[in-house]
Amino acid sequence: MAKYLLLKHYRGAPAAVNDVPMDQWTPEEISAHMRYMQDFADRLEKTGEFVDGQALAPEGAWVRYDGEGRPPVTDGPFAETKDLIAGWMVIDVDGYDRAVELAGELSAAPGKGGKPIHEWLEVRPFLTAPPTVTE
Amino acid sequence: MNEVLLRSLIPGVIAILVRRGADFAAAEDAVQDALVEALRAWPADGSANSPRSGGASGPAGSSGGGRPVRDPKGWLVTVAWRRFLDATRADAARRRREHLLDEEPASGAAPAVDDTLQLYFLCAHPSLTPSSAVALTLRAVGGLTTRQIARAYLVPEATMAQRISRAKRTVSGVRFDRPGDVATVLRVLYLVFNEGYSGDVDLAAEAIRLTRQLAAAIDHPEVAGLLALMLLHHARRAARTAPDGSLVPLAEQDRGRWDTASIAEGIGILQTALARDRLGEYQAQAAIAALHADAPTAGETDWVQIVEWYDELVRLNDSPVVRLNRAVAVGEADGPRAGLAALAAVDDACSAGSSAKGHRIPRYTAVAAYLHERDGDLATAARLYAEAARQAPNLAERDHLTRQAARLNARR
């Protein structure tokens, strides 16, 4: 088994095919989208492939050490252009192919007009310790 | 083994040990040891609940396997005190041990109520951060395990264990010699209540249990006020979310799903407290909650009286959050224009401090959106709902606000 991180981006990723801001959807379309994501997570929980999923607020800041005795530097509370992560899901699957398959499925969540949003997702493997000999 | 009974005994036992001279951290450790012993030795059918008359059981037998325990608390005190002495013996010189043995009081009924009260004050000590105070209260007064507290706060158990042991170190030198501040204790209990995750431990229910205990121990109108406030909020909990987890606003809630027994109890407690004419902010908040709970339909809510209570609240504790909520009530009582005017005053009140950092108080934008919608300005309302969704502190609120924006955009 191998763990993968599925990352959803607010910005920075290429535009989705069905790229309409959520507040332009109908309430029913939003509900359908939420249900799809929940069903997806529920299903992975049943197959034992779900590890964790969290959503993140859109506002973040870059922070950097700025020398002895000085407060850390931040670029302020606003982040107009930088890439930001909207949320993640960690899955524990058989291998890369399954991770890509699931990311594709998640990307097909319905959006405006009930059609899939075709959102870009980033798939990143976790670094793990090498297996012991007895494994 | 009755876990609820055990939990209710823990604070009293810790408090007795501390009063006899044990350090708080050492007392807590000794009581945990005694609990392990109790789990091993006590009959599995929880017969601590069924006293047997005439038996000479009780504190004398720490190996009472199979026999009912007549006085579980006395039993725990005895075992925990011995554990504490053993630990002290291992650590300290013989003289100190003999001194402590000399001081061991005769067993007998102890005035548990005052002791427990001091434990509340210790756990809400001003030298603790709020999160530490909350964790320590749940552990020492609530008797929850570290694992239960960690799960309730959705953090790893190791993280919570560190938080609790740091808190214990912080208060280890603190003496029980002067009464603490009731307001601090109430704030800690309200923090627990507002967390409200429901899993292995329902923090809202736990906060109510602890506040009930505190109210039984101390005659204080604000303790009663907080208990009433919690009961009234908790009574509406089932109706506040839809089966899919989404938020249901007050006006749209199915009032048939409100817990009328809790509402009646909360109102009764509040009325008794108010009759004493020592108003405080929890009583005022409970009065507002009671007016909501009392209305048969949302349309019959007595908004005029609610605004009056908000005026009292502003007088007792003028904060931007109180003024924001007041603006909502004014909007209902006197129309959206009046509400927007009241909201503008909130903006002035906090523009000096908080807006410099680019942060408005939570839900300000959501309230502005709501008032603009009621005023008929749907375009502004939709834009503000979308903005409020981006600022929302949790997913349920974010989704709710996004739906509001979508609803208005679909109508235009």
Side-chain angles (χ1 to χ4, degrees):
Chain A
M1 299 291 275
K3 285 201 178 66
Y4 286 86
L5 180 63
L6 310 184
L7 281 178
K8 295 163 79 77
H9 293 258
Y10 276 114
R11 292 178 277 272
V17 173
N18 188 7
D19 187 23
V20 182
M22 218 180 219
D23 61 337
Q24 309 294 323
W25 303 4
T26 68
E28 294 72 33
E29 286 163 355
I30 295 173
S31 294
H33 182 78
M34 301 300 173
R35 162 124 335 262
Y36 186 95
M37 310 268 283
Q38 191 57 51
D39 288 349
F40 181 78
D42 289 349
R43 207 164 58 248
L44 291 191
E45 215 161 273
K46 288 207 185 73
T47 60
E49 292 173 308
F50 180 84
V51 178
D52 186 29
Q54 298 280 324
L56 293 175
E59 265 159 41
W62 294 104
V63 178
R64 197 199 69 198
Y65 173 66
D66 197 37
E68 191 74 34
R70 297 157 66 99
V73 177
T74 84
D75 72 337
F78 300 109
E80 268 78 29
T81 56
K82 72 172 76 94
D83 180 17
L84 275 175
I85 309 299
W88 72 73
M89 186 179 286
V90 178
I91 55 175
D92 194 357
V93 293
D94 274 337
Y96 179 74
D97 291 345
R98 175 67 176 157
V100 169
E101 183 188 338
L102 289 176
E105 224 178 285
L106 189 56
S107 164
K112 183 73 187 162
K115 297 192 183 71
I117 32 181
H118 300 270
E119 166 188 40
W120 286 95
L121 287 165
E122 190 178 351
V123 179
R124 296 273 291 272
F126 276 66
L127 293 175
T128 52
T132 59
V133 183
T134 49
E135 276 179 336
Chain B
M1 176 55 55
N2 186 336
E3 200 208 334
V4 176
L5 169 75
L6 264 187
R7 269 168 54 183
S8 70
L9 295 175
I10 290 171
V13 178
I14 296 177
I16 287 172
L17 262 60
V18 172
R19 188 162 45 79
R20 288 184 185 179
D23 175 79
F24 175 74
E28 220 265 346
D29 288 344
V31 172
Q32 293 303 324
D33 282 348
L35 287 174
V36 172
E37 181 78 8
L39 285 168
R40 206 173 53 77
W42 288 8
D45 63 356
S47 46
N49 277 334
S50 50
R52 189 202 282 168
S53 59
S57 63
S62 62
S63 59
R67 274 184 303 140
V69 179
R70 198 182 52 181
D71 176 8
K73 185 172 174 187
W75 191 98
L76 283 173
V77 169
T78 304
V79 174
W81 184 247
R82 283 185 190 147
R83 290 294 165 130
F84 168 70
L85 290 179
D86 286 346
T88 309
R89 191 173 301 147
D91 295 346
R94 190 163 176 270
R95 266 187 72 162
R96 167 137 172 84
R97 167 176 51 112
E98 285 173 350
H99 175 66
L100 284 165
L101 279 170
D102 279 346
E103 292 211 331
E104 181 173 7
S107 55
V113 162
D114 290 340
D115 287 333
T116 309
L117 194 56
Q118 285 180 314
L119 212 54
Y120 272 95
F121 288 130
L122 185 73
C123 292
H125 197 269
S127 61
L128 295 168
T129 63
S131 67
S132 298
V134 161
L136 196 60
T137 304
L138 288 172
R139 173 64 176 262
V141 188
L144 301 189
T145 63
T146 305
R147 184 189 185 81
Q148 287 174 313
I149 303 170
R151 289 176 101 164
Y153 277 91
L154 308 176
V155 301
E157 193 175 344
T159 306
M160 190 50 80
Q162 282 299 323
R163 205 181 282 178
I164 290 172
S165 65
R166 227 178 21 243
K168 283 204 277 186
R169 274 202 303 280
T170 304
V171 295
S172 69
V174 174
R175 301 301 312 169
F176 271 171
D177 51 1
R178 67 186 107 114
D181 181 7
V182 178
T184 316
V185 175
L186 294 181
R187 195 161 60 239
V188 168
L189 291 172
Y190 202 28
L191 278 176
V192 175
F193 180 79
N194 281 326
E195 209 59 44
Y197 287 110
S198 136
D200 185 22
V201 181
D202 179 343
L203 286 176
E206 184 64 19
I208 289 174
R209 187 177 76 82
L210 296 180
T211 309
R212 223 185 255 289
Q213 220 175 68
L214 184 65
I218 181 175
D219 184 24
H220 189 295
E222 275 292 85
V223 177
L226 180 61
L227 180 58
L229 177 63
M230 287 178 176
L231 287 167
L232 289 163
H233 276 326
H234 201 57
R236 301 198 299 250
R237 187 183 191 184
R240 208 153 32 200
T241 44
D244 65 355
S246 60
L247 280 187
V248 183
L250 183 61
E252 290 160 30
Q253 286 174 18
D254 173 4
R255 289 169 188 238
R257 296 183 64 204
W258 288 0
D259 176 355
T260 45
S262 276
I263 291 174
E265 190 192 355
I267 290 178
I269 292 171
L270 173 67
Q271 279 170 342
T272 310
L274 288 175
R276 300 178 55 183
D277 209 21
R278 278 168 56 202
L279 188 63
E281 53 179 311
Y282 291 117
Q283 291 170 77
Q285 286 187 57
I288 291 165
L291 286 166
H292 285 302
D294 234 8
T297 65
E300 291 169 80
T301 307
D302 187 348
W303 287 104
V304 173
Q305 221 191 124
I306 288 177
V307 171
E308 286 168 12
W309 279 111
Y310 273 117
D311 290 340
E312 289 286 357
L313 263 181
V314 169
R315 194 175 55 74
L316 290 163
N317 175 21
D318 189 3
S319 75
V321 175
V322 170
R323 283 180 178 266
L324 180 71
N325 289 325
R326 184 180 170 279
V328 177
V330 169
E332 300 294 343
D334 304 329
R337 288 290 166 89
L340 285 167
L343 192 65
V346 178
D347 204 11
D348 288 340
C350 53
S351 59
S354 46
S355 69
K357 284 184 241 155
H359 285 117
R360 275 182 158 166
I361 54 172
R363 303 193 179 91
Y364 180 96
T365 312
V367 169
Y370 175 73
L371 289 170
H372 278 292
E373 182 189 350
R374 289 209 43 222
D375 194 35
D377 184 356
L378 302 192
T380 306
R383 181 178 57 74
L384 289 172
Y385 275 129
E387 188 185 328
R390 285 190 292 275
Q391 300 165 358
N394 63 57
L395 267 185
E397 265 180 54
R398 183 204 287 185
D399 293 346
H400 174 72
L401 291 164
T402 306
R403 279 196 182 86
Q404 299 299 313
R407 177 176 52 82
L408 294 186
N409 282 328
R411 240 169 47 184
R412 283 192 296 132

